[in-house]
Amino acid sequence: MGARVNFVFKQGDGLATVLYSHWGEDSMYPDLAAALQHALPRMGDESYFIRMAISHLIQHNILDETGFGIYACDPSDQGFMDHPITIDLTDGTVGEGEEWHEIDEFINYHLGTLTKV
């Protein structure tokens, strides 16, 4: 049981940092949009951007033993993942399958606002 999702943060070094959420699928788009908006001030600095986005996504559960996991992977190997959505920091897009958007478009669509930094 669960509503699993994997947030795949693709980095310029050819690797990805993944946040696995056991219960996040039901609200994954607005949650991710809010996390990306929170991380925008550090766009261009992958390690800080990823840390800020992940911190925002887990903010209410940061000390819990279960619910989330973080791991590194090859971003092209997503076949084993439950509902992966990729945040491609090499070109500033967010997507899954055939559906891809610029990060700011994704934020605007799912939150209705974008606070420019």
Side-chain angles (χ1 to χ4, degrees):
M1 304 271 293
R4 297 169 184 87
V5 63
N6 286 271
F7 299 101
V8 181
F9 294 88
K10 182 180 175 186
Q11 300 163 216
D13 59 6
L15 297 175
T17 300
V18 180
L19 174 68
Y20 163 81
S21 173
H22 191 79
W23 299 106
E25 184 180 15
D26 295 337
S27 60
M28 66 186 268
Y29 299 116
D31 290 348
L32 179 58
L36 296 175
Q37 182 168 321
H38 175 73
L40 277 179
R42 294 312 293 248
M43 185 60 116
D45 187 340
E46 292 176 347
S47 63
Y48 274 84
F49 183 95
I50 293 168
R51 196 267 313 153
M52 288 179 71
I54 288 175
S55 293
H56 194 277
L57 287 163
I58 67 172
Q59 65 182 309
H60 301 295
N61 306 94
I62 196 152
L63 298 178
D64 293 354
E65 181 181 348
T66 61
F68 293 96
I70 299 172
Y71 60 96
C73 77
D74 175 342
S76 65
D77 184 20
Q78 297 182 11
F80 66 94
M81 295 180 190
D82 291 313
H83 205 146
I85 183 166
T86 300
I87 303 88
D88 190 334
L89 298 176
T90 67
D91 65 6
T93 60
V94 178
E96 54 191 323
E98 300 295 317
E99 188 80 22
W100 287 86
H101 304 281
E102 298 292 324
I103 288 176
D104 59 343
E105 293 172 351
F106 182 86
I107 293 168
N108 280 330
Y109 182 80
H110 292 287
L111 295 183
T113 71
L114 173 64
T115 304
K116 286 285 187 182
V117 180

